[in-house]
Amino acid sequence: MLTKNQMGLPQPPIAAEQQIVALGRVLQSLREEDDVEVLIKITTSYIQKQFNYNLVWIATYDRLKHSLSGQGGITPSGDDNFLRKRLIIRPGDLLEQVVIQQRPLGVPDIRTETRLSEWQEFGTRHNVRGTIIFPIRYKETCLGLLLIASERWGYLIPEEAKTSVTIVLGELGSILHQNEIRLQQKQTKRPDQPLLELLDNLHNLNNLEERLKAAVEATHEFVSPSRTNIYWFDRPGRYFWCRISNQLVKMSREAQQQQQAVGMTVQELSDFYYALSTNQIVWIGDARSSLSSHFTAKLLQRWRVRSLLAAPIMWQKDLLGFLAVEDVQPRMWSEADKNFVQGAAGFISLVTPTEKMETTIEKIQEDSHLTSQVAQAIYTHQDLKETLRVCAAKVLSRLNATRFLVLQYDADRNNYQVIYQTQPHNRRPLTFAFSLLTETDRQMLKSAQTTVEVENLDEDLRFFNWRPPLIDNGVRSLLVCNCTQGHRPEAILLITHTQHRTWNNAEKELLWIVSQQIGVVLRQWRLLTSNEQQQKILQSIQQSLCILEEAHSDNAETEENYLETTTLKQIAAILGCPLSLMLTWSEEQETAEIIPGVFADSHFSIRADAPVFVQYEALIQWALSKDGYLNLKVEDLPPETKKWLTCPATSKILIIALRTAAHHQPTGVIVLADHTERYWPQQTLNAIETLIEQLAWLRRQQQISTIQAAKIEELRQLNWYKHRRLEEVHRTTAQLLGQIHDVGIPNNELTQTRYKLLLRQLDHANTAITSLLKQEQWQLSMGGETMPIASLLKRSLERIENLLQSQKMWIGVHGLGANNSDSESNHSSPLVKNTVTANHSAPMVITGDLMKFELILHEVLLAACQRSPHGSRIDIWCRRLDDQFVEVSITDNGVIAPELLAELEQKTRKDLLTCSYLDQLPGLHLLICQQLMQQLKGELNLYQLPDHRVVSRLLLPLANK
C-alpha cells in the first residue's frame, strides 16, 4: 500500500509520453508562426533534441529553376554557411529522386555516395555517415527537403521517431504552402488597374502616334521585357514594319527600308502571321510555345530574342498589325502578362479606326457606289459580255488586281470553262480549261459565306488542281467566290494578282456582293441560252422528222437510199460537221454498204468501192458494243479502217448504231467526223440520237414493208396457181364422174355394191372440192360440224399409215371410251394399238371445222413422226379436260430445236428482219396450225418434258350435250 507522501507526489512521465508532449508542443509552435526562418529553427531544434542527430539541414524547393535553397540547420562544426547554399539539382541525383518520388530515402554512408555530390565532400570533411532524406510536401507538391545525419553507419530509426518526423514535416509543408500562396498573391501583377489607366490615357490623347507610344510605354512598364514594339501591316506589300518602339520612339517606312531588321515579310513570319490573322495571341517562352517547335526556333533567330509575346491589332476582321514584347532571356510569360498585352492591343484596335474615319467613310461610299454601278450594269445590259466587261473594269480598279475571270462548270466536258476574262495589255488571256475541283475545295466553296482568299499560291494547298497552270501564267495570289451561295460551285468568280498580297475584309465583302449579282445574271443567261438551244433543236428535229416522213412516204421507191441520204444531210446540218455517212448491211451479208451523206471538206473523204467487212470493221463492232454514241480520235482507228476512211490527223469521229429495240439486231452505223476544236453540246447530241433512232425505226418499217410485200405477192401467186389447179382437178373429176354415170351400173351384184360405194366416195370428194372452190378462194371459212374424237384420230392416222410402215413405228392411243374403241378396232391398222383407260362411258364429240381439225392433227402427227427415230413409239393421250374441251397430247422421242420451242411459245418472231425457225419447215406449218387453232377456239402448244420427250398438246372444243 502507498504512503500518503507517495500518493501526493507527481509521477515522472515515461519516454513515449514525453515524445507525444514534445510533438504537440512543436506542432503548436509551428501553427503560431508565419516567418520561415523561425519555422526552420523550431523544426531543427525539435529534431536535434528528440533524435540526437548532429547534422540537420532544411531546404526549400524552387520548381521553376529545379533547385534547392538552404534555409539553415545544425552542423557538427557549428558552421552553417554551407547549409544556406543554393544547390542545383542534377539529373540522377538522390536529391532529385526524393523530390520526384516524394518518399524518404536512406544512405548508410554519405561519404561513399557519389550521387550526393557536395554532401559527399561535407560528410568526409565532418565525419558524417548515416543519412536520411525526407521530403517536405503538401498534397502532391514537393516544397523542400529535410536531411538528417549522424556519425553512426546506417539509416534505420525507430518507427515512432519516423512517424513524429513525418507529422512535423507535414505541418511544416502545410504552413510553407500557405505562405507561398500569400507570397504569390502579393507578387502577382494585376493588369486591370494599369489597363484602366492606359484606356483613360488613350482617351486624353488626340494623335494616333501618341496613343501608340502610350500603349508601348504602359506595356513595357507592366511586362518589363527587353523591348516593346508595335508592328504595322502593309497589306499590298504583305510585310510588317516597326511603327513604334520603346527604344526607337517612331519609325517610318523610310527608316524601315534602311534598317531591314525592323521589318519582316509575311513569308518570313508564316505560322506567326496566320495565327495573328485569326485573332490569336502568340507567345514563346522558356522551352514552351503556342507555335510549332520547328518554326519557333526560326522565329526567335529572326527576331534575335529568347522570348516573345505578341497580340494582334484587328479591325473588322482585318489584321492592322500587332503589339510585341520581346526578351533576350528565356522567360515564362504569366497570364497577367498575356492579358495585359492582349488588352493593350485591343485598345489600339479601338482607337485606330478613328484616325482614318473620313477615309473609311469615303471607302464605304465608294464601295456602295461601285456595287450600285455593277448592279445597274448587270440589269441594264442585255449582252452578257458587255455586262461582265463593265463589271470587271470597276472591280479590278477597286481591288487593284490583275485578272478578272468568270468560270462556268461544263457538265459535258466535266471541267470549268472560262466564259469571260480580262487581263493587262501586256498579258495573254488564259487558254486552258480549269480542271474539276477536289471534293474538299468544292465543299469549302459550297459552305463559304464570303470570299476565299489565297495570299500565297505557291504555299497554299487550296485549289490544288489549279495551281500549276495559274503559277505558269504568273498568278501568285487570288480571290475566289462561289457565285451561288449555299450551292455547289457551278459559276465561280476569280480575281488574281501577279504578286503575293492580301485584301482587307471590306474588299472581300465587296467582291462577294458582286459575285452574287453575277451569279444571278449567269443563271438567267443559262436559262435563256438553254431555252434558245432547245427551241433550235426542237425546230431542227421537227423539220428533220417532216423531211424523213416525206422521204419515207413519197421517195422511198423513186430513189435508192433516199431516206438514209436525207437523214445524213439533216444530221450534218444540225451538228455542222463536214462528213456524214452510213454503213448498212443485212444479216446474210458479209460486207457493209457505204451510203455517203455529206462531204463538205476536201480533207475528209472515203473509198466507196472498198470492201468493209462487218465482222472485222472496228467502227461497226465498237458501235454495236456501245449503247449510245461513241467519241473517237483518228489516232484510235486501225489501219484497215483508214484504207477506206480518210480524215485529218487532228479530227474526231462520232459513231452510233441504228437501234430500235433490245431484241432487234442493228442494221446500220452512222459515222460523223469533224475537226477536234469543234464542240458538240450534250443537248444537240441527244437530239441527234432521237433523229437517228427515228431513222432506225423508219428503215426497219421500210424493210419490213418490203419483205411483207414480197411475201404477199408470192403467196398471191401461189394461191392463184393452186386454186387454178384445183379447178382443173375438179373439172377432170367431174368429167370422169359423168363418164362413169354414162357407162352405167355393172350387172354383177358384188361389183355393183363396190361400184356404188366408190362412186359415192368420189361424189363426196367432188362436193368437198366444190365447196372449197366456192367458199374459200381468198379467205378461210369456219364450219360447225361434229365428230367423235375417235373418228378424228382414225382419219388422221390413216393419212400417215404409209409413213409409219416405212419407219417401222407404231402408235399407242390411250384414253378413248370402250365403245368407241371396240367399234373401230376392226378398222384400225396393226401399227396402231388402242388402250382403254378412260372411265367415261359416253363418247367425246368435238365440234367445229372438222376438216381443218383433221389437217392440223395430221400436221402435228406428221411432224412427230419426222423428228422421231426409226422404230420408235408415239403415244396419243386423250382426256376430257372439262365440259368445254378435250385434251389430246401426242408424246414422241424426237429431237426438236429449243429455239423453235421458244418461238412457238411466243407465237411470233423476235425480229422480222432476222432468220427464224418459223420461216422454214416444220416450224412454219406448226405456226400456221397454232394460229388456225386460235381461230377455231382451241389451242396448240409444244413443250419438252424433263426426260427430253416432246409433247404436242391440243385442246379441241367439245360439242354441247
Side-chain angles (χ1 to χ4, degrees):
M1 178 175 290
L2 296 175
T3 65
K4 181 177 180 181
N5 292 334
Q6 290 174 331
M7 293 178 60
L9 295 175
Q11 297 294 324
I14 61 176
E17 292 177 350
Q18 291 178 353
Q19 292 178 1
I20 294 175
V21 172
L23 179 61
R25 288 173 181 173
V26 75
L27 293 178
Q28 184 66 27
S29 300
L30 291 175
R31 293 190 187 101
E32 294 175 355
E33 277 295 336
D34 293 331
D35 187 82
V36 176
E37 291 187 3
V38 176
L39 293 172
I40 298 300
K41 289 180 180 180
I42 294 173
T43 305
T44 303
S45 175
Y46 169 76
I47 293 174
Q48 182 186 22
K49 291 178 181 180
Q50 294 295 322
F51 308 113
N52 194 23
Y53 280 92
N54 57 355
L55 174 61
V56 179
W57 178 63
I58 296 177
T60 56
Y61 174 58
D62 189 340
R63 292 185 296 276
L64 297 178
K65 297 181 179 179
H66 198 47
S67 63
L68 293 170
S69 298
Q71 301 298 326
I74 300 173
T75 61
S77 62
D79 181 15
D80 63 347
N81 291 331
F82 179 80
L83 301 182
R84 295 190 178 275
K85 289 181 61 176
R86 181 184 181 89
L87 298 181
I88 303 298
I89 298 178
R90 296 179 178 84
D93 200 338
L94 292 182
L95 298 177
E96 183 184 52
Q97 181 177 341
V98 176
V99 168
I100 294 175
Q101 297 180 356
Q102 297 186 23
R103 290 186 299 179
L105 178 67
V107 178
D109 191 349
I110 196 175
R111 298 175 304 178
T112 61
E113 181 55 65
T114 60
R115 290 176 295 174
L116 283 175
S117 58
E118 292 92 342
W119 284 109
Q120 182 183 16
E121 298 178 3
F122 184 88
T124 303
R125 188 166 62 252
H126 295 280
N127 194 27
V128 177
R129 303 176 69 184
T131 305
I132 303 175
I133 307 173
F134 291 90
I136 303 174
R137 64 177 187 171
Y138 176 76
K139 294 184 179 180
E140 300 298 329
T141 303
C142 183
L143 301 175
L145 296 179
L146 167 65
L147 185 146
I148 57 177
S150 66
E151 296 177 353
R152 299 184 303 273
W153 185 92
Y155 55 84
L156 295 178
I157 62 174
E159 193 66 29
E160 295 82 359
K162 184 177 180 182
T163 302
S164 299
V165 172
T166 303
I167 293 173
V168 171
L169 294 181
E171 185 65 26
L172 177 62
S174 177
I175 297 173
L176 290 177
H177 176 71
Q178 294 175 2
N179 290 342
E180 183 178 315
I181 292 177
R182 286 194 293 268
L183 181 62
Q184 288 178 354
Q185 290 176 350
K186 291 180 181 180
Q187 295 177 349
T188 299
K189 297 182 291 185
R190 300 181 62 84
D192 48 0
Q193 188 62 35
L195 281 175
L196 290 175
E197 294 176 359
L198 174 60
L199 180 60
D200 185 62
N201 193 15
L202 293 177
H203 286 164
N204 296 327
L205 298 174
N206 297 323
N207 186 277
L208 178 61
E209 299 299 328
E210 293 179 355
R211 292 173 175 172
L212 297 179
K213 179 181 177 182
V216 168
E217 291 176 351
T219 304
H220 191 78
E221 180 180 356
F222 183 84
V223 182
S224 300
S226 300
R227 295 189 298 268
T228 303
N229 301 318
I230 291 180
Y231 292 88
W232 216 248
F233 184 41
D234 186 286
R235 192 168 296 276
R238 297 184 80 243
Y239 69 91
F240 292 90
W241 58 283
C242 186
R243 184 167 184 173
I244 295 292
S245 174
N246 70 306
Q247 296 178 349
L248 303 173
V249 177
K250 181 178 179 180
M251 299 187 65
S252 63
R253 301 188 187 186
E254 291 76 10
Q256 187 272 338
Q257 294 175 359
Q258 297 174 1
Q259 301 180 17
Q260 295 296 325
V262 297
M264 290 156 289
T265 64
V266 169
Q267 189 172 2
E268 289 178 307
L269 298 179
S270 185
D271 293 354
F272 177 85
Y273 164 71
Y274 290 114
L276 294 177
S277 299
T278 56
N279 200 20
Q280 298 180 25
I281 187 171
V282 177
W283 54 270
I284 302 174
D286 187 8
R288 304 177 71 180
S289 172
S290 62
L291 302 177
S292 62
S293 58
H294 170 71
F295 180 74
T296 298
K298 295 174 56 179
L299 187 64
L300 292 178
Q301 183 180 4
R302 173 68 180 85
W303 231 296
R304 300 187 183 94
V305 294
R306 300 283 299 276
S307 303
L308 175 66
L309 177 61
I313 302 173
M314 307 288 293
W315 173 248
Q316 292 183 344
K317 299 181 181 180
D318 290 328
L319 181 64
L320 302 180
F322 61 91
L323 173 62
V325 291
E326 310 159 19
D327 207 311
V328 296
Q329 297 297 329
R331 178 168 173 174
M332 294 297 296
W333 301 109
S334 66
E335 289 299 320
D337 295 336
K338 297 177 184 178
N339 292 337
F340 188 91
V341 173
Q342 193 170 17
F347 289 158
I348 298 173
S349 301
L350 294 176
V351 300
T352 299
T354 60
E355 185 72 15
K356 300 181 179 180
M357 187 64 69
E358 294 183 359
T359 305
T360 304
I361 294 174
E362 291 178 1
K363 284 289 185 182
I364 294 174
Q365 292 176 346
E366 290 178 2
D367 291 348
S368 177
H369 183 61
L370 174 60
T371 304
S372 62
Q373 284 183 323
V374 170
Q376 184 179 5
I378 286 174
Y379 291 107
T380 56
H381 290 87
Q382 297 296 325
D383 183 19
L384 177 66
K385 300 294 184 182
E386 179 62 19
T387 300
L388 295 178
R389 186 191 67 78
V390 175
C391 180
K394 297 181 180 299
V395 170
L396 290 179
S397 175
R398 171 66 176 84
L399 301 183
N400 189 24
T402 306
R403 293 180 185 268
F404 179 99
L405 297 100
V406 179
L407 310 181
Q408 179 70 47
Y409 175 68
D410 191 331
D412 298 338
R413 305 176 188 180
N414 198 28
N415 58 19
Y416 287 93
Q417 296 290 323
V418 179
I419 63 174
Y420 183 79
Q421 63 174 316
T422 59
Q423 62 282 331
H425 298 293
N426 59 346
R427 295 275 182 173
R428 294 181 180 180
L430 302 182
T431 57
F432 61 89
F434 286 73
S435 60
L436 196 65
L437 291 170
T438 63
E439 184 62 27
T440 302
D441 291 335
R442 286 200 298 270
Q443 292 299 327
M444 176 188 63
L445 288 181
K446 180 180 178 180
S447 59
Q449 297 181 354
T450 185
T451 304
V452 178
E453 180 183 22
V454 177
E455 301 177 9
N456 188 345
L457 190 61
D458 298 312
E459 298 179 355
D460 204 312
L461 296 180
R462 292 174 296 178
F463 307 103
F464 187 81
N465 293 349
W466 294 355
R467 286 178 60 194
L470 287 175
I471 292 176
D472 293 342
N473 284 272
V475 176
R476 292 298 178 266
S477 59
L478 65 152
L479 296 174
V480 185
C481 293
N482 178 13
C483 295
T484 52
Q485 179 182 349
H487 297 80
R488 293 180 67 86
E490 301 288 341
I492 297 177
L493 175 60
L494 206 64
I495 303 296
T496 71
H497 202 279
T498 55
Q499 297 177 357
H500 300 154
R501 64 159 294 176
T502 61
W503 288 269
N504 59 38
N505 192 61
E507 293 172 335
K508 291 186 284 188
E509 289 182 356
L510 171 65
L511 186 63
W512 179 258
I513 296 172
V514 172
S515 69
Q516 301 310 299
Q517 293 174 337
I518 291 177
V520 174
V521 175
L522 290 178
R523 191 156 50 246
Q524 294 176 345
W525 176 72
R526 285 199 305 269
L527 292 175
L528 180 62
T529 304
S530 177
N531 185 46
E532 291 177 353
Q533 290 178 350
Q534 291 178 357
Q535 291 292 336
K536 182 179 179 181
I537 292 173
L538 179 60
Q539 293 176 1
S540 300
I541 291 179
Q542 289 176 344
Q543 294 175 0
S544 301
L545 292 179
C546 292
I547 294 174
L548 288 179
E549 185 178 357
E550 294 175 0
H552 178 65
S553 58
D554 299 336
N555 301 298
E557 297 181 358
T558 59
E559 183 178 342
E560 185 180 5
N561 298 328
Y562 179 78
L563 176 64
E564 291 80 359
T565 304
T566 304
T567 306
L568 291 173
K569 292 179 180 178
Q570 288 298 313
I571 293 174
I574 294 175
L575 291 180
C577 61
L579 181 142
S580 64
L581 60 92
M582 179 187 296
L583 300 174
T584 182
W585 67 93
S586 60
E587 189 176 15
E588 62 274 4
Q589 289 180 326
E590 295 183 356
T591 60
E593 176 188 0
I594 302 177
I595 301 178
V598 173
F599 296 94
D601 193 331
S602 59
H603 296 93
F604 296 86
S605 61
I606 62 170
R607 283 184 54 196
D609 58 342
V612 180
F613 294 95
V614 177
Q615 290 295 113
Y616 306 105
E617 174 51 49
L619 291 181
I620 295 177
Q621 297 303 318
W622 288 343
L624 296 182
S625 63
K626 177 73 173 178
D627 187 12
Y629 62 86
L630 180 63
N631 274 308
L632 302 170
K633 296 180 181 179
V634 172
E635 59 189 30
D636 299 330
L637 300 181
E640 291 75 11
T641 302
K642 294 181 179 179
K643 291 181 180 179
W644 63 270
L645 178 62
T646 302
C647 297
T650 59
S651 57
K652 62 180 180 180
I653 296 175
L654 185 143
I655 56 175
I656 183 172
L658 273 69
R659 301 179 188 273
T660 50
H663 55 276
H664 294 165
Q665 291 294 327
T667 58
V669 172
I670 299 290
V671 180
L672 307 170
D674 204 341
H675 298 282
T676 305
E677 61 271 11
R678 177 65 62 85
Y679 168 64
W680 292 327
Q682 183 62 43
Q683 290 181 337
T684 304
L685 293 177
N686 294 340
I688 294 302
E689 280 194 81
T690 303
L691 195 59
I692 292 175
E693 183 178 354
Q694 184 65 26
L695 171 63
W697 279 106
L698 290 177
R699 290 188 75 247
R700 174 179 172 80
Q701 185 63 33
Q702 191 179 63
Q703 294 174 355
I704 291 176
S705 299
T706 302
I707 294 173
Q708 296 296 343
K711 287 185 177 181
I712 290 173
E713 186 66 26
E714 182 181 356
L715 291 175
R716 284 176 177 175
Q717 296 172 4
L718 179 62
N719 188 63
W720 172 84
Y721 169 72
K722 288 187 176 181
H723 197 79
R724 290 292 179 262
R725 289 296 305 270
L726 284 173
E727 288 179 346
E728 181 63 23
V729 171
H730 178 262
R731 185 184 64 79
T732 304
T733 304
Q735 290 178 355
L736 291 175
L737 285 172
Q739 293 175 4
I740 291 174
H741 285 294
D742 293 339
V743 172
I745 300 173
N747 296 326
N748 187 298
E749 184 177 357
L750 180 61
T751 306
Q752 183 178 9
T753 302
R754 183 65 176 167
Y755 175 80
K756 288 180 179 181
L757 179 61
L758 293 174
L759 186 62
R760 189 182 306 114
Q761 292 176 351
L762 192 57
D763 283 333
H764 288 324
N766 188 56
T767 302
I769 294 175
T770 303
S771 176
L772 175 65
L773 292 173
K774 289 182 178 181
Q775 299 178 11
E776 297 183 312
Q777 180 175 358
W778 292 106
Q779 62 183 3
L780 295 175
S781 176
M782 301 301 174
E785 303 91 356
T786 60
M787 177 184 290
I789 186 64
S791 300
L792 180 65
L793 287 173
K794 177 184 176 183
R795 293 168 61 90
S796 300
L797 291 173
E798 287 176 352
R799 290 173 173 267
I800 62 172
E801 186 172 354
N802 294 333
L803 180 60
L804 295 174
Q805 292 178 354
S806 63
Q807 293 190 358
K808 295 183 180 180
M809 300 173 61
W810 62 279
I811 295 180
V813 182
H814 314 274
L816 293 176
N819 296 335
N820 293 331
S821 61
D822 290 342
S823 61
E824 296 178 3
S825 60
N826 296 330
H827 305 284
S828 299
S829 169
L831 298 176
V832 180
K833 297 185 178 181
N834 292 296
T835 305
V836 181
T837 59
N839 297 324
H840 301 289
S841 58
M844 292 178 287
V845 179
I846 62 172
T847 181
D849 196 320
L850 299 180
M851 180 54 66
K852 293 183 176 60
F853 282 143
E854 182 180 339
L855 292 176
I856 291 172
L857 186 57
H858 165 71
E859 190 69 41
V860 172
L861 288 171
L862 182 62
C865 293
Q866 291 175 346
R867 64 174 170 263
S868 298
H870 191 78
S872 63
R873 168 178 171 167
I874 297 176
D875 290 301
I876 303 176
W877 302 84
C878 301
R879 70 184 182 96
R880 187 188 299 269
L881 194 62
D882 50 29
D883 294 339
Q884 295 182 350
F885 293 98
V886 59
E887 180 186 66
V888 178
S889 298
I890 302 171
T891 306
D892 63 82
N893 295 307
V895 179
I896 190 170
E899 295 82 4
L900 174 58
L901 289 176
E903 292 183 351
L904 287 174
E905 183 180 1
Q906 296 178 356
K907 298 182 176 60
T908 183
R909 309 171 46 170
K910 283 187 177 181
D911 189 356
L912 294 175
L913 300 181
T914 59
C915 294
S916 171
Y917 282 90
L918 302 181
D919 289 336
Q920 52 192 339
L921 299 180
L924 178 59
H925 287 174
L926 292 175
L927 177 63
I928 293 173
C929 292
Q930 270 189 335
Q931 296 169 346
L932 280 176
M933 284 297 295
Q934 288 181 345
Q935 298 182 39
L936 294 170
K937 300 181 180 179
E939 289 185 13
L940 170 59
N941 297 297
L942 275 78
Y943 57 91
Q944 199 165 24
L945 296 175
D947 58 359
H948 303 295
R949 288 184 297 164
V950 181
V951 178
S952 304
R953 179 175 178 267
L954 293 96
L955 291 183
L956 303 175
L958 285 171
N960 296 328
K961 296 181 181 180

